[in-house]
Every structure is written in structure tokens, then in C-alpha cells.
Amino acid sequence: MTQTPIRPTHDSPTTTPSAHTPASVQRADTRIDGAEITRLLGGRWWHLRSAARDLALDPRMRKIEGLTHHEHRERVLTQLHLLTEIGDPLRAFPARLGGQDDHGGSLASFEELVVADPSLQIKAGVQWGLFASAILHLGTAEQHDRFLPGAMDLSVPGAFAMTERGHGSDVSGVLTTATYDPDTDEIVVHTPVEAAQKEYLGNAALHGKAAVVFAQLIVDGVNHGVHAMYVPVREERPDGSLVLLPGVGSADDGVKGGLNGIDNGRLWFDHVRIPRVNLLPRYGAIAADGTYSSPIESPGRRFFTMLSTLVQGRVSLSNAATGSARMALAIAVTHAEQRRQFTGGDPQEEVVLLDYQRHQRRLLPRIARTYALTFLGAELLERFDDVFSGRHDTDEDRQDLETLAAATKPLATWNALDTIQEAREACGGAGYMAENRLTGLHADLDVYATFEGDNNVLLQLVGKRLLTDAGKEMMQMDVAGTVRWVAARAADTALHRTPLRRAAQSIRDSGSKARSAGHLRSADVQRELLEERVETMVEEIVMGMRSARGMSDEKAFEVFNSHQDRIIAAARAHGELLAWEAFTDALSRVRDKETFEVLRTVRDLYGLTVIEDDLAWYLVNGRMTAQRAKTVTSYVERLLARLRPHAKALVDAFGYSPEHLGAPIAGPGEAERQQETREYQRRLRASGEAPVDEKTLRAQAKQESQDARAEQPGAPA
């Protein structure tokens, strides 16, 4: 049965041309299928996303602005208990324990909790996505039976004790020790120095009863690297209060820049003893006779394999951040479609904000980028589900998932912060009011850029993977092949940095701007420009780092460090290419022709603004002439005008109702005020009682004076 596309039920307030409309603003001659776009953006689990958003409408789940951090913490803890009653936080857990073995669906639902309150999303992530998941993925079936029920039903709130005061992103360097004592068959967990205190842990300050602690495992004097273990930290008294167990210390981090519904704090341990069987032994175990064994021989590979089981944190943060960007854009565009400011061609009518080119420049490219990152996030979630469901779970699959997550999370979280801030400014003073959510979203999302891996560190990991792959390609070449490769790169570099390439491009550009713009609209051309940027960046780094071969570790680090900034830039370019490809792939699934044309224009706007932002690279490296560079900017401006009529429909397709957004500025109030103002002014003009504007009076007097002089005898004709 063919499903009839559902058309949007609204019309943009500015779809009808009027005298005040700037000439540069185009009007929509097509209507897009908003329902199809909503499903496309939601990916495989769009129905679960919709259900989770509806759950976020429950007043008990909504964030209340202005609470103290103590009040906010208790409210969020209550909300977590509500989730266990009316939500579905256990979807990813095994069916035999009450779950559904649905890893992708679980994250899709979890990510949407940001609609209700980012603190709720993160505290839920700490409990079920980190604490309970670490037990699930690193523990045995016996440990699942022993530890998971309490973690799943929230009778045992837990902390994820990985980060230390002295070691954040460098997890392999943590200083907490876990030393096996064969005499008692126990592991002694100890914090040797202040820098080894576990820091910024959700549930550590107040609510946590246990923690999964990451420490250097020492057996018979040998350090086997970082391992995880289940450590009780508090016990409950008969009156319901919690007290720290002997040897466990805790401190409250207090008020933070955002996410104050989470009781972040520090934990430390003074020779705390736990049973040997509390070690989570999937990748490293201690037998009853005190011997250590691991299925992975290499300590380095063992460590990264262990961390790969916890990649869902980066996946969920990426998509939750992009969801926050979508909400910010929905608020800002709705406001810009209603708010009027300054008169244009008609002195009696003020211009709608979104009709100004500068306002379009502020918001429309961010809509395009957020669409691209939404599609990239959907692809990341598919990859995650493939690995964790076991359908595609090879070592290579896990490495690819880690790399994709490390590339996506920085782009998504930086985009969220940039978009929320621009949306706030685009809404003027109203955007600064807490009730309109934008300042709160920015404060809560700020830390997303540095937790679950600092963004720059993650991009460095991506860059290393790009260099490794490029190095493998070179290793497979024989001497003659390597010489030819180097010669080809040298010739390519020479071609692009000499007038020959520029002259050829100038000849192709000559004739008309339309021909050049049409060239840029080609998907093949955009892909080539984006791919070539990544490939050239990586190849130049590889060539520059060849000298490090055979050097001492100290000298090799100096060479690497001198290329670090370029490595991160190449990784970011790689992420932007992946987002463009994800968007392009999504276009192939669009059924409605008019919707396809509009979305292709959004994709073009994303691709060309990425290129425009790095025009200096294309010019310096001879990939583009100055004339072509100018065409990029002029064509971007043309795309802005083309998408202007569809801006409201594009953000409506995000699927958030005014109730979801919870921002009065995105409701009907502004439009009603504007309509009331216009009617008042019309009535006043029609009544004849409107006061005369001083400028009009002066102009009339000047004209009368000129007319009087012209009528005098002898006045020039």
C-alpha cells in the first residue's frame, strides 16, 4: 500500500510577497514533505525517538529553571526513578535480565532525554550507559547476576570512576592502583597521590553506592595496565541516609557552569579491599591461584579493546548535542519568522528578521550543518548497533566504530555550542531570558566538548588513524612504487602551485558565473574538493614526518608535536567529508521529488560553506582560482535566498512541537504581538489622528519653500 506523503499544515508567515519584502528574498514555489524528512532524520529508530520526546512532555520530567543545585539534584534523581517506571532505560540489556538486547534503540531513546533536561540525560547516561554498561560489557555472567539488578533498577546508583584530577583524556596514565594480595585473595584499591583522586564523577558527591573504578592492576609485582573493578563506596543506614564505607573519601564538586542536576564529585581510596571476584575480567583476569591471564597478549591492544566497549558514551553525546542544536535552530528560526525590525521599501511596514541576508547567513548554514551531522549521527548509531548486536563485530569493525565516534563527537558538540550561541544572539534580549532555554542549553552543553574525551584529543586519534592507513599503503609499495608515489605527489604539488592549473581553471570559469556556479553544484565536484583536501593534508603530514623513522623516542615526539596542529586539522576535514557523504547518502532515500530538490540544496549549502570556510587552503594549495573562490561565496548567497522560503519547514521537520521546545519565544506570542502592532498602526493611520512625523513635516516645509521660490518673478524655470 502506498503511503500518501503528509504535507506540513502551516504556511510560512512570509510566503506571500508584500511591499516590505527585500527584492533578494525568493518565495517558495514548492512544498516539502515534512513528515518524510522527520522520519529520515530520525533514522532506523525514529519511532522510538518520537516516543522518548513525548515522554519528555511529562511535567515531572521537565527542567525547572531557577532551582538551587541541591533542589535540581534531588529532582533529577526522582526523574531517574520515574524513568524506571514509565520509561524504558533497560532496552540495551540482555533479555534474560529484563532488557531487549536493543543497543541502537536504547541510545536513540536515551539521546532524546536532552529535550526534557540535559542533566537528566547525563545522569541517566552515568547510571545505565556507563556504570551498568561497564558491568555488562566487562564482567562475567556471574557478575551480571550479582551486580546488574541493582544497577538496572536504580537501587544501587553508581559512579564511573575513570577520570583523575591529574589524568583526564589520558586514561592509560591513571595513577590509582589495584594490587592483588594473594594472602587474602583480595585486591587493594589505593589512591597514592592527590592527582590520582577520581574527579568529576556523576553520583560521587551524594547518591552513589558503588563505582566501577579504573586502576593500574598489579599482580605479583607486574603492572598489567588499566583494568576495571566493582567497588562499593557507600552503605545505606536504616533511616535511609548514606554513609561512606571505611577507606573511601568523597568531596562535592559543588555548583558547575551547567548540568547542576548531577551530583558530580571526587572519590579516593585508602587501601580499600575488595574480593578478587570484583575485578571485571573480560580482558584480564586473576585466577584463584593468583596468576594473571588475558585473551589479548598486547597490553596496548588490550587497553584500547576494553575502552572500545564503552564507546556508546561518545555516540550518545554526539547525537544529543546535535539534538540540542536542532532545538536551538527551531527556536531561533520560529522567532525570526515572526519578529519584525526596521522598515524596508515600505516605510509603514517593518521587515521580518529572516528576510535580512545577514540573518539568513547566521542561521541557514547552521541548519545545513546540523542536518549533515544528524545524518552522520544516524550512521554512527547504525554502526554502533551493528557492532554491539554482534552482526559486524570484528576487531576492524570496532576500530572503525571508534574512529567514526572520535570524528563525529567533536564536530557535533562544537556545532551545538556554536549554533546555540548564534541562535541566542539572533533572538536578541529575549534569547538571553532563561525561560527561552538557549542560555541554559549552552551552559549544559558546554562540558560536552571536553568529557568522554576532549575534542582535540579525539581528533588527534582520528588523525593518527589516517596517518596509519596512509603509512600502511606506503608499506605495501616496493622501492620503485614508493619513488613513483613521491614523484607523483611532487608533480601534483607543482601543478597546483603553478600558473598551469590556475590557467586551466580560469579558462573553464570564463564565460559566465552561472557556468562556474553550476560546476560547484555538482556532487562529484563537491566530493572531489572535500576529498582532495583530506588526502593532500594527510599526504603532506606523512611526507613531513618521514624523518622521524629511526629516531629516538624523544626526537620522534618532537617531529610529531611539530605536526600536531595539522594532524588535527586533517582529522576535522575528514569528519566534515564524512558528514557530507552521510547527507548525500540520505538523499538517495528521499521519495518526494520536491523534498529531494530542497534537501539537495541544503546539502549543497553545507558542502559549499565547508569549502568557503577553508578557501585560504584551496587558494594557497592551488586547488582553486581567486575567481572560483568568489563564485563559491556568491553561489552560497544564492542558495541562502533559495532556501529562505523553506527555513521554517526545515526546522519544523526536526519534529519538535512548541511544547517540546518549552520556549515562549517559539510559541505564538510574538506573532500575535506583531499582528496587534500592525493593526494598531493601520487603525491609527486610517483614523487621521496619527501624529505627523517630524521628518515628514520638515520635508513638507522644505518642499513648500522650494515651490514658493519657484513661483517668484524671474526665478529660473
Side-chain angles (χ1 to χ4, degrees), residues 695-712:
K695 291 188 293 184
T696 302
L697 197 62
R698 287 178 178 273
Q700 289 175 349
K702 182 178 180 180
Q703 184 62 47
E704 290 172 359
S705 175
Q706 291 174 346
D707 293 344
R709 286 197 301 271
E711 293 174 359
Q712 293 177 359

Side-chain angles (χ1 to χ4, degrees), residues 375-534:
F375 291 129
L376 180 60
E379 182 177 307
L380 174 62
L381 189 56
E382 293 264 6
R383 296 275 193 93
F384 169 80
D385 189 69
D386 284 344
V387 168
F388 279 72
S389 67
R391 287 190 300 274
H392 301 286
D393 189 14
T394 66
D395 186 57
E396 184 178 2
D397 290 325
R398 285 187 175 266
Q399 289 185 49
D400 288 345
L401 173 61
E402 292 172 46
T403 303
L404 182 57
T408 304
K409 190 257 185 181
L411 269 62
T413 53
W414 278 331
N415 173 65
L417 291 174
D418 170 74
T419 298
I420 295 168
Q421 180 62 26
E422 195 65 39
R424 205 295 295 161
E425 294 181 29
C427 291
Y432 196 59
M433 298 296 101
E435 67 175 4
N436 288 317
R437 295 200 68 184
L438 295 173
T439 54
L441 278 176
H442 196 283
D444 287 337
L445 268 291
D446 202 342
V447 75
Y448 281 43
T450 52
F451 82 126
E452 287 293 332
D454 177 278
N455 283 353
N456 284 288
V457 174
L458 292 180
L459 287 179
Q460 182 170 293
L461 293 176
V462 176
K464 287 182 177 179
R465 174 70 186 275
L466 294 175
L467 295 179
T468 298
D469 289 349
K472 287 179 180 177
E473 181 182 349
M474 290 192 67
M475 288 294 290
Q476 292 172 356
M477 299 179 186
D478 56 18
V479 175
T482 303
V483 171
R484 287 194 297 271
W485 184 86
V486 172
R489 294 310 307 157
D492 178 72
T493 300
L495 172 64
H496 286 90
R497 292 180 178 172
T498 60
L500 179 60
R501 169 69 177 235
R502 295 195 295 271
Q505 195 173 99
S506 296
I507 292 170
R508 184 165 62 243
D509 287 348
S510 64
S512 70
K513 288 185 178 180
R515 181 184 304 169
S516 182
H519 182 69
L520 290 170
R521 185 170 171 76
S522 164
D524 289 339
V525 170
Q526 292 176 34
R527 177 182 283 107
E528 180 185 357
L529 288 169
L530 294 171
E531 283 181 344
E532 193 172 38
R533 181 174 63 140
V534 178

Side-chain angles (χ1 to χ4, degrees), residues 343 347-348 681 684-685 688-702:
T343 57
Q348 306 299 334
Q681 292 173 333
L684 192 61
R685 290 193 299 269
E689 299 177 358
V692 179
D693 187 90
E694 181 182 350
K695 291 188 293 184
T696 302
L697 197 62
R698 287 178 178 273
Q700 289 175 349
K702 182 178 180 180

